[in-house]
Amino acid sequence: MMVPHLQRNKVLLLFILFSAALPSITSAYANNNNNNEAKPKPLMRAWMCSGKTQRDMVDKLAQAGIVKSAINKEALLRVDRKNYVLQTQQGDSAHQDSPLPIGYGQTISAPHMHAQVLEDLLPPLLAASKDAPDKLLKILDVGCGSGYLTAVFGRMVESKENRRKSTPLNEGKVFGIDVVPELVHMSKTNVMKEDGDLLDSGTVEFMLRDGWKGYPENAPFNAIHVGAAAATFPKQLMMQLAPG
């Protein structure tokens, strides 16, 4: 899932993403009007949003205030995490709010981390759609791993006629890249399980590339997600971002 030389940064990445999720962590308690006997609701926060199904997991992420946008919630509901974990993890662990190994020394991030990424990237995508309503959005997912987040991005910008709910996001294209050939193959295989229409329509494309060099042939991108911590500032990737 990560590009070369980044294994030592795994702890740093998890810390950064966990820190980003902290503002969204809240405790919820019921106010029974003037009744002094308030009944506490179940405490929901990052790392505690595990579910038995995709919907159960996503609903808990929403209850915790990590998933805020209806656009992101719908996209997450459309892509089942169980299709993007290893065969041995496709039971209850598939929807645990924790990272899971996907082989080759890499992991699929915890669901609350992916949810935070979606919330962070949605505003610039909405702004780009408003500024140029007829222009395709382009998203680059560096370190696509097992293909899960790439597929979720794909659901966000898929053809409007295929969306279950109308959204203000333009249609677009998502490029998932990874330096590990086996992970690129895994991503394609996983997407074909239940999200194959994203590949058939050209909404999502996977390819073998050096993540730090990006994909200049298709730049500029409205959003670039990097699933790894960088030892130095990724200037080449920054130069491939669209203005705004």
Side-chain angles (χ1 to χ4, degrees):
M1 182 176 180
M2 296 189 229
V3 290
H5 311 301
L6 295 176
Q7 288 288 13
R8 62 181 179 276
N9 291 312
K10 287 175 87 173
V11 174
L12 174 61
L13 169 63
L14 292 176
F15 176 77
I16 291 172
L17 288 177
F18 176 67
S19 298
L22 282 177
S24 301
I25 300 174
T26 59
S27 303
Y29 293 95
N31 264 330
N32 189 14
N33 295 328
N34 296 324
N35 190 340
N36 292 327
E37 296 181 1
K39 297 180 180 179
K41 293 182 179 179
L43 178 67
M44 298 303 304
R45 61 189 183 199
W47 303 105
M48 296 182 65
C49 297
S50 301
K52 294 183 178 180
T53 65
Q54 183 74 11
R55 176 169 288 279
D56 187 22
M57 181 188 77
V58 174
D59 283 346
K60 289 180 179 179
L61 289 168
Q63 291 171 27
I66 301 171
V67 174
K68 303 179 180 68
S69 165
I71 294 175
N72 290 335
K73 184 175 182 180
E74 179 64 19
L76 285 167
L77 287 172
R78 294 284 305 279
V79 183
D80 199 325
R81 192 172 185 252
K82 73 177 183 181
N83 293 322
Y84 297 85
V85 299
L86 299 180
Q87 188 75 28
T88 55
Q89 301 163 344
Q90 291 182 359
D92 291 342
S93 61
H95 301 105
Q96 286 182 357
D97 191 13
S98 62
L100 293 173
I102 56 174
Y104 311 99
Q106 312 305 325
T107 63
I108 178 174
S109 296
H112 75 267
M113 295 179 179
H114 282 152
Q116 186 65 49
V117 167
L118 296 174
E119 292 296 331
D120 289 342
L121 293 184
L122 182 59
L125 294 175
L126 287 170
S129 298
K130 183 178 180 180
D131 292 343
D134 298 321
K135 190 174 182 179
L136 285 177
L137 294 173
K138 289 193 289 185
I139 303 172
L140 180 63
D141 187 16
V142 177
C144 59
S146 65
Y148 176 66
L149 189 59
T150 312
V152 176
F153 283 138
R155 289 301 179 200
M156 292 172 68
V157 300
E158 68 182 336
S159 170
K160 291 187 177 182
E161 64 183 19
N162 291 336
R163 299 178 192 179
R164 294 179 180 174
K165 296 182 180 179
S166 177
T167 75
L169 281 179
N170 289 359
E171 296 179 5
K173 188 171 177 65
V174 185
F175 302 90
I177 64 176
D178 207 294
V179 73
V180 182
E182 292 83 358
L183 292 180
V184 175
H185 176 73
M186 180 190 295
S187 293
K188 294 177 181 178
T189 301
N190 289 341
V191 170
M192 287 301 297
K193 293 175 184 176
E194 292 184 3
D195 302 298
D197 59 295
L198 294 174
L199 293 176
D200 295 339
S201 65
T203 302
V204 166
E205 182 179 347
F206 294 101
M207 65 201 71
L208 181 69
R209 298 188 71 94
D210 181 344
W212 296 131
K213 295 180 180 178
Y215 193 12
E217 297 91 329
N218 271 285
F221 299 98
N222 301 103
I224 298 178
H225 165 256
V226 182
T232 60
F233 184 75
K235 185 176 180 179
Q236 289 191 60
L237 287 178
M238 183 196 71
M239 298 302 293
Q240 294 174 35
L241 276 170

